[in-house]
Amino acid sequence: MSVPTNEEQQGYQGARLAATVLLIRDGAEGLEVWVQERVSSMRNYPGMTVFPGGGVDPRDFPAKTWDSGPLWSGTSAVAMARRMRSTKVKAHALVFAAVRELFEETGTLLAIHADGREVTDAHPFHADRLALESHRLSLTDVLDRNHLKVRSDLLAPFARWIGTSAAGNAFDTFSFLAVAPEGQDTDGDTSEAASAGWLPPRLLLEGWRVGLVRLVIPTWAQLQILAAADSVVEALDLARQADMRPVIGDPSGDPRYREFYTTVRPDRIGGSRR
């Protein structure tokens, strides 16, 4: 297969494709999700509490093969595309972007060794993590040089939101649910985050209500869904039922999001209340 065209690399109405990952685990008091507060210097969503993620890199798209290639394992790109209501080419790129962004921002690597062994320690790939973050290497480069394959079956499609940031950038964002791999240590060692950590979804929502956490509507909405789960097993069940029809634009008139738009919260941290 040839390199995808510009149109094939774009999201809804030319928006940039992006991927976010809701990384979850069972904590001492129930389900926890990894979140990070973006540094104030970021162009898009500064100071907001978000899930790891970012825009799709052109190098995340397949150059010659879209399915069952040497760097891919797990659920086929065709099956992922069907679940995501997308094309197989975009599904491939979004899975690669999700794996890449999660590794860059948390040190968690959703991959498997070529011989089938699980990746239980991502520390040996730290130099590659830095090279990914600085764009010196692509995820394909990292996988190839370390004889690794992406584990697509570790990513469960969870939501799709299409909107524009305050900076005026349009994103078509696909979110995935992923369980923290056993043995791997998650960290917030990224230049994009002022702080990061594991927190219960319900606690994050309560922090938003009292003005201690800044959330944009897609993050708020996905936390609302996660808050209904008490464990990883329950969260994965929610992912299997997830509605992947896109939410487009500002859904202020949708009753599902009324609380976000009508709640008057104290401004404890300054700036935007949302």
Side-chain angles (χ1 to χ4, degrees):
M1 187 175 72
S2 60
V3 176
T5 64
N6 288 337
E7 184 176 351
E8 289 176 316
Q9 294 186 36
Q10 294 176 345
Y12 178 81
Q13 293 188 347
R16 184 182 182 186
L17 286 172
T20 63
V21 182
L22 286 68
L23 188 66
I24 59 172
R25 71 176 187 183
D26 285 321
E29 298 182 4
L31 185 70
E32 296 178 339
V33 62
W34 182 268
V35 292
Q36 56 195 38
E37 181 184 326
R38 288 170 68 83
V39 296
S40 59
S41 59
M42 296 297 293
R43 182 177 182 184
N44 294 301
Y45 312 114
M48 295 293 177
T49 294
V50 299
F51 307 120
V56 170
D57 188 305
R59 297 176 296 178
D60 292 326
F61 286 89
K64 296 181 180 180
T65 180
W66 51 262
D67 192 25
S68 302
L71 305 180
W72 182 286
S73 68
T75 309
S76 72
V78 171
M80 290 293 285
R82 189 178 302 119
R83 179 70 185 90
M84 296 162 62
R85 295 171 173 255
S86 182
T87 67
K88 56 195 178 187
V89 172
K90 290 179 182 178
H92 181 290
L94 286 159
V95 166
F96 265 52
V99 171
R100 175 178 51 75
E101 291 285 345
L102 187 66
F103 185 41
E104 288 180 19
E105 298 181 11
T106 75
T108 300
L109 184 56
L110 303 182
I112 193 170
H113 293 280
D115 60 9
R117 290 179 295 116
E118 302 287 338
V119 175
T120 56
D121 182 6
H123 288 103
F125 312 115
H126 182 68
D128 291 322
R129 176 185 177 185
L130 297 177
L132 277 174
E133 190 172 12
S134 64
H135 305 289
R136 287 181 287 115
L137 291 178
S138 68
L139 180 61
T140 296
D141 295 329
V142 172
L143 295 171
D144 188 57
R145 68 192 291 177
N146 293 292
H147 307 292
L148 298 170
K149 298 181 180 183
V150 158
R151 282 284 306 275
S152 62
D153 56 310
L154 298 182
L155 290 165
F158 196 69
R160 182 184 179 188
W161 285 74
I162 300 166
T164 304
S165 71
N169 297 307
F171 292 97
D172 184 348
T173 304
F174 288 75
S175 295
F176 299 89
L177 196 70
V179 181
E182 186 175 352
Q184 292 195 39
D185 296 323
T186 306
D187 65 59
D189 186 14
T190 171
S191 60
E192 297 185 5
S195 62
W198 293 101
L199 289 167
R202 293 167 191 162
L203 183 61
L204 285 163
L205 289 170
E206 185 56 35
W208 171 82
R209 292 185 183 103
V210 300
L212 295 175
V213 176
R214 294 187 181 121
L215 300 173
V216 290
I217 179 61
T219 309
W220 181 91
Q222 290 170 62
L223 285 172
Q224 288 281 359
I225 297 172
L226 270 189
D230 291 321
S231 66
V232 163
V233 170
E234 292 184 9
L236 290 174
D237 187 53
L238 289 174
R240 283 188 285 270
Q241 304 172 48
D243 184 355
M244 292 303 295
R245 290 175 297 182
V247 178
I248 303 173
D250 184 353
S252 56
D254 192 319
R256 293 175 296 177
Y257 313 121
R258 182 176 293 115
E259 181 187 1
F260 182 83
Y261 291 103
T262 61
T263 299
V264 177
R265 306 179 298 112
D267 189 8
R268 301 183 186 277
I269 51 180
S272 171
R273 294 189 178 185
R274 297 221 172 96

